[in-house]
Amino acid sequence: NGDFLTTLAADLFTGVSIGLVATLVVEAFSFAGQAIAVQAGFSYASIIDPTGDTDTGVMPATFSLAANLLLFQSPLYGALIRALAAGLGHSPSQVAARIPEHTHILIAFSAHCLGVGLKLALPVIALLFLSDLCIGLFGRLQPQLQVLSISFALKLLGAMAAAATLIPALRWLFMQLANDAASIVHTLTR
């Protein structure tokens, strides 16, 4: 009975760990979209996310869908399938002995994914901050012009243009993160 529970716990930990790695890769991009959306003012417009039945912003949904599409052409997808097949032949006692090591790997990878999301969002956030600063200075220098009435539209336009320039970087960053995740999945299942 105790052996069965050990086997069950080890398999559960491995499955949850592999799922967490795949989710963290996609959520890094969703986090970047959310950070951009908050600064750009896209929080006012929201849609119903069909994957989670929640109210979400346009940018996080777009970044998340792009990451989900890129997942299927990344090495992570193949690693997930191989991990599923390899999980059927491993001894649970080997997995149970490495749980502390795997926990440290997962925590480090979580921090890495958060860093990638921030690196993706920070250029756009900096551009939006500079646009806010310029709009504020221009409004202060020319008080007779009502710059505040068009500032929201200018920020949205700037955010969309900046996000459009990130599109080539999205694929490259996702593939780098997916390669890291694939090696972690391999480490978790060996």
Side-chain angles (χ1 to χ4, degrees), residues 128-167:
L128 292 172
F129 173 74
L130 288 175
S131 71
D132 278 342
L133 186 66
C134 290
I135 288 169
L137 286 175
F138 189 70
R140 186 83 169 146
L141 292 174
Q142 296 293 330
Q144 66 271 19
L145 294 176
Q146 296 297 321
V147 180
L148 190 60
S149 63
I150 62 167
S151 65
F152 187 68
L154 287 175
K155 272 186 77 170
L156 291 178
L157 182 64
M160 289 303 291
T165 60
L166 284 179
I167 290 174

Side-chain angles (χ1 to χ4, degrees), residues 21-22 24-25 74-77 79 105-106 108-113 115-116 119 172-188:
V21 168
L24 283 172
V25 171
S74 72
L76 178 59
Y77 184 68
I105 290 170
L106 290 172
F109 186 67
S110 299
H112 178 63
C113 288
V116 168
K119 286 177 188 174
W172 182 80
L173 272 174
F174 187 87
M175 290 304 167
Q176 295 298 319
L177 195 58
N179 283 331
D180 295 342
S183 68
I184 288 173
V185 167
H186 178 70
T187 301
L188 292 173

Side-chain angles (χ1 to χ4, degrees), residues 10-28:
D11 285 345
L12 181 68
F13 179 78
T14 302
V16 168
S17 299
I18 292 169
L20 180 65
V21 168
T23 302
L24 283 172
V25 171
V26 174
E27 287 301 316

